[in-house]
Amino acid sequence: MISFPKEGIGTSVEAIALLKGAKNPALGKKLIDWSTSQEMQNLYAKYKINFVPAHPEVKTEAGLAEILKGAKIFPIDEAWAGQNRKKVVDRWINEVLP
């Protein structure tokens, strides 16, 4: 069973990229091709991984809408997160991990 904090949970877009100068760009491209493929993204629904697929031919897992129905979801402010990264990571280490 999945549960979400009553305060809400942030959401953002996942990304993948091939960096210029990578030591093995052929393998990097192979990973990108696989991770963005219909075959791979169909695994989200099959294994009930609660991601919304990016591939246009992939159907969202049927139960995902029900799981998300009661969740308070808000976008993450990437600029703020980047500017406050150290503060957020330190708080996580000191308050959540112990």
Side-chain angles (χ1 to χ4, degrees), residues 75-96:
I76 294 174
D77 181 340
E78 289 91 359
W80 182 91
Q83 293 166 356
N84 291 279
R85 182 183 185 284
K86 181 169 179 11
K87 182 171 116 178
V88 171
V89 170
D90 287 346
R91 184 172 178 197
W92 181 268
I93 290 169
N94 294 322
E95 296 179 28
V96 177

Side-chain angles (χ1 to χ4, degrees), residues 10-21:
T11 184
S12 64
V13 176
E14 298 292 329
I16 189 167
L18 181 60
L19 300 177
K20 182 178 181 179

Side-chain angles (χ1 to χ4, degrees), residues 1-14:
M1 164 157 253
I2 295 175
S3 64
F4 296 103
K6 64 182 178 189
E7 299 83 3
I9 187 164
T11 184
S12 64
V13 176
E14 298 292 329

Side-chain angles (χ1 to χ4, degrees), residues 18-70:
L18 181 60
L19 300 177
K20 182 178 181 179
K23 291 182 181 179
N24 197 330
L27 281 179
K29 173 90 169 76
K30 189 173 180 177
L31 174 63
I32 290 169
D33 290 345
W34 174 77
S35 64
T36 58
S37 72
Q38 183 175 359
E39 177 186 11
M40 182 283 203
Q41 291 193 13
N42 277 326
L43 298 175
Y44 292 155
K46 180 178 179 181
Y47 293 105
K48 299 191 183 312
I49 299 169
N50 296 301
F51 285 156
V52 176
H55 194 286
E57 300 298 318
V58 176
K59 303 261 188 276
T60 302
E61 198 273 320
L64 184 57
E66 189 63 31
I67 290 168
L68 296 175
K69 188 174 11 178

